[in-house]
């Protein structure tokens, strides 16, 4: 049976990923910054769902959460992310907000992966997927929301390097654009339903092998230019 760890399962794409993974009969470890206890709005009452409480930027708390689990993890999805500060143009930047955006979107996925690496090593088919964004592609010269764009471009580079370093251990790594999704971040006018995005992400997670490691995909499987 597959065991999956997803960060940011209290809402948005992460919640839908967790719901669908539970629907497949998988064991799901889901993280949130605070314990979610409302079964109407969440999956916390499901028998195969295990809460983890940590802020992804608190590396000590992430390591403590990892130490609390004694099970192999087959799939890690680094999903938690932020859009960044209100002022984030190259000509007017909230630098504290920029640093927080890098901490959540770029550094935390690596810190979470490092903390849970012992669990991934215990799986026969371990995979790490990180939710990035087309907005981080170097092929686009757009300059709006540059803290967010830079944080996802940085995430892409970190995950490409991680794919190289984890290949000898048999662990596959992929970076995904989830689509423009109807969540708090994407807004009500976004093109893709969370259900469709999460289904595509899990399909890629299920099919990911070392043959496809180090790639940047969209949620529907097409390659994205770095
Ligand atoms: N929606 C889109 O159109 C879109 C497009 C491209 C990429 N993405 C990416 O997809 C991922 C999920 O986005 P979403 O649309 O589902 O966004 P969302 O609805 O805003 O949800 C973001 C999730 O990240 C969590 N999070 C934020 N900062 C955190 C921290 N410091 N520690 C722990 N958890 C934290 C949030 O928890 P709290 O409730 O505690 O804040 C929440 O669970 C993100 O990486 C985002 O950049 C989204």
């Amino acid at each position: 049976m597959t065991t999956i760890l997803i960060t940011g399962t209290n809402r948005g794409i992460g919640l839908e990923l967790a719901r669908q993974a539970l629907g497949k009969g998988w064991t799901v470890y889901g993280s949130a910054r605070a314990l979610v206890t409302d079964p109407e709005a969440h999956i916390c009452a499901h028998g195969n769902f295990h809460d983890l409480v940590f802020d992804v930027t608190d590396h000590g708390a992430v390591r403590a959460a990892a130490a609390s689990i004694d099970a192999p993890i087959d799939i890690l999805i680094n999903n938690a992310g932020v859009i960044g500060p209100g002022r984030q143009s190259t000509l007017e930047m909230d630098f504290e907000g920029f640093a927080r955006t890098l901490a959540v979107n770029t550094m935390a996925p690596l810190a979470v992966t490092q903390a849970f690496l012992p669990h991934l090593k215990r799986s026969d088919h371990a995979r790490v997927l990180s939710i990035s964004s087309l907005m981080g592609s170097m092929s686009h010269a757009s300059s709006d929301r540059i803290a967010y764009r830079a944080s996802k471009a940085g995430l892409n580079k970190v995950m490409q390097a991680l794919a190289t370093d984890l290949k000898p251990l048999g662990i596959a790594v992929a970076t995904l654009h989830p689509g423009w999704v109807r969540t708090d971040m994407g807004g009500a006018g976004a093109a893709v339903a969370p259900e469709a995005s999460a289904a595509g992400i899990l399909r890629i997670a299920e099919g990911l092998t070392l043959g496809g490691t180090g790639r940047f995909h969209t949620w529907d499987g097409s390659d994205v230019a770095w």
Side-chain angles (χ1 to χ4, degrees):
M1 208 225 317
T2 301
T3 299
I4 186 168
L5 165 61
I6 307 160
T7 60
T9 52
N10 55 309
R11 60 192 171 96
I13 297 169
L15 175 57
E16 189 53 34
L17 284 169
R19 267 203 194 108
Q20 292 190 22
L22 288 168
K24 291 174 185 287
W26 296 359
T27 298
V28 178
Y29 289 92
S31 84
R33 283 194 268 198
L35 195 62
V36 181
T37 53
D38 177 5
E40 292 298 316
H42 198 54
I43 62 258
C44 54
H46 196 290
N48 286 344
F49 182 76
H50 305 279
D51 276 303
L52 296 173
V53 178
F54 56 78
D55 184 312
V56 292
T57 63
D58 181 345
H59 298 181
V62 172
R63 283 194 297 272
S68 74
I69 297 175
D70 180 21
I73 289 175
D74 303 300
I75 301 173
L76 163 62
I77 301 189
N78 288 302
N79 163 75
V82 288
I83 196 68
R87 284 184 303 114
Q88 53 168 306
S89 78
T90 54
L91 302 180
E92 198 191 353
M93 177 60 75
D94 169 352
F95 282 100
E96 278 185 19
F98 192 175
R100 275 197 304 279
T101 308
L102 291 169
V104 176
N105 291 356
T106 312
M107 290 188 274
L110 181 61
V112 170
T113 308
Q114 286 185 358
F116 288 93
L117 195 53
H119 307 75
L120 290 161
K121 284 180 182 170
R122 288 171 58 190
S123 165
D124 294 335
H125 181 191
R127 291 142 277 174
V128 177
L129 293 93
S130 296
I131 309 301
S132 182
S133 173
L134 212 50
M135 289 175 73
S137 172
M138 298 299 280
S139 308
H140 296 261
S142 318
S143 67
D144 62 299
R145 298 190 188 273
I146 196 62
Y148 182 75
R149 288 179 186 278
S151 72
K152 293 296 192 182
L155 172 67
N156 291 352
K157 191 66 209 175
V158 167
M159 289 299 149
Q160 186 192 48
L162 188 69
T164 301
D165 292 339
L166 292 186
K167 196 169 185 182
L169 302 181
I171 302 174
V173 177
T175 311
L176 299 184
H177 169 62
W180 179 30
V181 188
R182 288 192 288 279
T183 62
D184 292 343
M185 186 183 291
V192 181
E195 293 81 1
S197 176
I201 292 166
L202 291 183
R203 201 174 307 120
I204 290 169
E206 288 183 274
L208 180 62
T209 63
L210 279 187
T213 198
R215 286 170 61 191
F216 182 20
H217 301 272
T218 58
W219 61 282
D220 57 4
S222 36
D223 275 332
V224 182
W226 293 106

